[in-house]
Amino acid sequence: MTILVTGGAGFIGGNFVLDWVAQSSEPVINLDKLTYAGNLDSLSSLEGNPQHFFVHGDIADTALVKRLLQEHQPRAVINFAAESHVDRSIHGPEDFIQTNIVGTFRLLEEVRAYWKGLQGQAADDFRFLHVSTDEVYGSLAADAPAFTEEHRYEPNSPYSASKAASDHLVRSYHHTYGLPVLTTNCSNNYGPYHFPEKLIPLMIVNALAGKALPVYGDGQQVRDWLYVKDHCSAIRRVLEAGKVGEVYNVGGWNEKPNLEIVERVCTLLDELRPRVDGQSYISQRTFVTDRPGHDRRYAIDARKLERELGWKPAETFETGIRKTVQWYLDNQEWVDNVLSGNYRDWVAQNYEGRAV
Ligand code: NAD
Ligand code: TYD
């Protein structure tokens, strides 16, 4: 038995691969294009481990995907590969269309052909698990109930629109061709190996570097935070026991406004790595121009996953955020390697135009 993971050098895919190898003896083929967000440093502990087989390539490369499927005969494909950052999708949506929509389509086509060729039990047991986001549901009013799986799709950014399109393609491959698919829609993740363009790692990295902590708009936008290892355990559970064709929302019931997140990161850093001048890191907080089309609130209702598959997160926000801040303090080398010229170009592009 083997699984094929796409995007396994990214934040969530990388954590998934590490956890998979730690918890199972089943080999994992890891197909990743190594965009700016893909980082083999995150997988350095697997060097020389025959259970992990890394392949540098694109999910849209039909010939490559076909060959990998034929050679390795996976029992499941788990699709993490995506362009994932909303701000980048605002500056340049093209890559999002290419990978999230065209790439998922090409991957689905090859997986369908492969699955068609499987016989008996192997065909029955095969799964295509598509990893998606709560952002496809759009923005919630302050007092509205959290997103259930029945919530209508109302994506508002090029990122969420491209993910929504990929979800629809996955759904259609089940409905039309019978492909045994599963889809998970998860809330915002945080934890180790998170690229510091996203809120939590950016705040940690900037705070330690003595830089501004840029809060978009009034900082009252609400996100529902889940520790990445809990997302990985949910995916394993859905893969193991999810009902074919079903969608499962994944979340940790941790809704928090951005300002509270920034404050919590600062107080943890004040405790664990106090500034030499004795001031709090919160003094570095800066309000900057808001993101265009900024969704006000996301919240996930994860009761279906708990009720039907018995999944629950292991971490509270408090335990998860402490582990995360400590991880960044302990892994300065990983951070330094990430902060390359490429990263600096992005920071200049995204933050220079924002009035303080
Ligand atoms: P990420 O940006 O950190 O990683 C994406 C990975 O995919 C990178 O390693 C990149 O090199 C790879 N990749 C990009 N284009 C590719 C292509 N064409 N072919 C092969 N590999 C390619 O993203 P992430 O945060 O780890 O998110 C993983 C998945 O989970 C995405 O589908 C995302 O939409 C979804 N998701 C993310 C979050 C979150 O909070 N980060 C929450 C819910 C769902
Ligand atoms: P982000 O981590 O980009 O995730 P998403 O947009 O997918 O939810 O952003 C999380 C929240 O933090 C979002 O409301 C935007 C906000 N944010 C800031 O206020 N400042 C920043 O520098 C960044 C990157 C995000």
Side-chain angles (χ1 to χ4, degrees):
M1 302 281 231
T2 299
I3 61 164
L4 171 64
V5 161
T6 71
F11 165 47
I12 305 172
N15 276 286
F16 182 86
V17 167
L18 290 170
D19 289 358
W20 186 268
V21 171
Q23 296 181 12
S24 136
S25 57
E26 187 175 3
V28 47
I29 315 300
N30 182 355
L31 172 63
D32 196 294
K33 190 177 171 184
L34 295 180
T35 66
Y36 77 93
N39 186 352
L40 285 178
D41 272 359
S42 309
L43 301 170
S44 59
S45 63
L46 300 180
E47 239 172 66
N49 187 329
Q51 203 187 328
H52 176 239
F53 183 72
F54 182 78
V55 182
H56 183 197
D58 193 325
I59 55 168
D61 182 342
T62 298
L64 173 65
V65 172
K66 189 192 291 296
R67 179 169 66 72
L68 288 176
L69 292 168
Q70 286 309 325
E71 265 177 33
H72 298 282
Q73 298 280 309
R75 69 169 175 99
V77 173
I78 303 159
N79 185 30
F80 292 94
E83 290 293 334
S84 70
H85 188 32
V86 174
D87 292 316
R88 284 188 192 252
S89 83
I90 295 167
H91 286 277
E94 180 96 32
D95 287 348
F96 290 72
I97 306 307
Q98 196 53 42
T99 283
N100 300 0
I101 306 179
V102 178
T104 303
F105 158 68
R106 297 230 177 108
L107 180 66
L108 279 166
E109 275 292 89
E110 287 316 308
V111 168
R112 177 166 77 91
Y114 164 71
W115 170 72
K116 270 277 173 217
L118 295 176
Q119 306 290 328
Q121 199 66 43
D124 292 347
D125 291 348
F126 181 80
R127 298 288 182 271
F128 179 89
L129 193 155
H130 180 62
V131 179
S132 194
T133 165
D134 60 358
E135 303 193 24
V136 297
Y137 298 123
S139 187
L140 283 171
D143 54 353
F147 302 126
T148 67
E149 290 77 1
E150 275 73 49
H151 201 96
R152 88 178 227 206
Y153 272 39
E154 286 179 331
N156 290 321
S157 71
Y159 163 64
S160 55
S162 65
K163 289 297 291 186
S166 69
D167 293 6
H168 290 325
L169 282 168
V170 170
R171 176 190 158 88
S172 77
Y173 271 61
H174 175 65
H175 192 80
T176 305
Y177 305 113
L179 188 72
V181 307
L182 297 157
T183 300
T184 53
N185 291 87
C186 188
S187 59
N188 284 58
N189 284 214
Y190 66 100
Y193 305 111
H194 203 182
F195 194 79
E197 64 182 355
K198 306 274 172 77
L199 180 71
I200 289 180
L202 184 93
M203 293 299 149
I204 299 172
V205 167
N206 277 14
L208 292 171
K211 294 184 178 157
L213 308 179
V215 175
Y216 296 168
D218 64 3
Q220 292 304 332
Q221 302 82 7
V222 171
R223 298 292 181 266
D224 188 351
W225 295 94
L226 183 69
Y227 191 62
V228 63
K229 303 279 180 195
D230 280 326
H231 187 189
C232 294
S233 78
I235 292 169
R236 289 195 301 276
R237 185 65 191 137
V238 171
L239 182 65
E240 175 178 63
K243 197 161 154 242
V244 163
E246 291 286 312
V247 172
Y248 297 91
N249 281 357
V250 187
W253 306 97
N254 281 311
E255 279 187 66
K256 301 211 179 294
N258 294 338
L259 266 184
E260 200 179 315
I261 298 289
V262 176
E263 281 161 15
R264 191 66 197 115
V265 166
C266 288
T267 52
L268 277 166
L269 284 172
D270 289 340
E271 175 195 327
L272 299 168
R273 181 73 55 86
R275 269 174 45 155
V276 281
D277 64 3
Q279 278 202 57
S280 169
Y281 287 98
I282 202 69
S283 61
Q284 292 165 230
R285 184 184 57 193
T286 318
F287 289 90
V288 300
T289 309
D290 208 350
R291 172 188 279 173
H294 200 170
D295 282 340
R296 198 69 183 163
R297 175 176 166 238
Y298 304 139
I300 276 280
D301 181 334
R303 278 179 296 184
K304 177 178 174 186
L305 185 52
E306 182 176 349
R307 189 176 61 243
E308 296 186 8
L309 304 184
W311 175 87
K312 267 190 192 177
E315 303 289 344
T316 63
F317 184 72
E318 265 318 300
T319 59
I321 193 69
R322 183 173 283 277
K323 282 184 182 174
T324 303
V325 170
Q326 190 63 57
W327 187 89
Y328 279 87
L329 290 173
D330 294 343
N331 289 276
Q332 192 59 46
E333 203 182 318
W334 182 90
V335 173
D336 290 343
N337 288 342
V338 162
L339 305 183
S340 64
N342 225 336
Y343 177 79
R344 282 197 293 274
D345 292 347
W346 162 250
V347 169
Q349 190 187 10
N350 192 40
Y351 295 97
E352 258 167 24
R354 289 178 195 269
V356 172

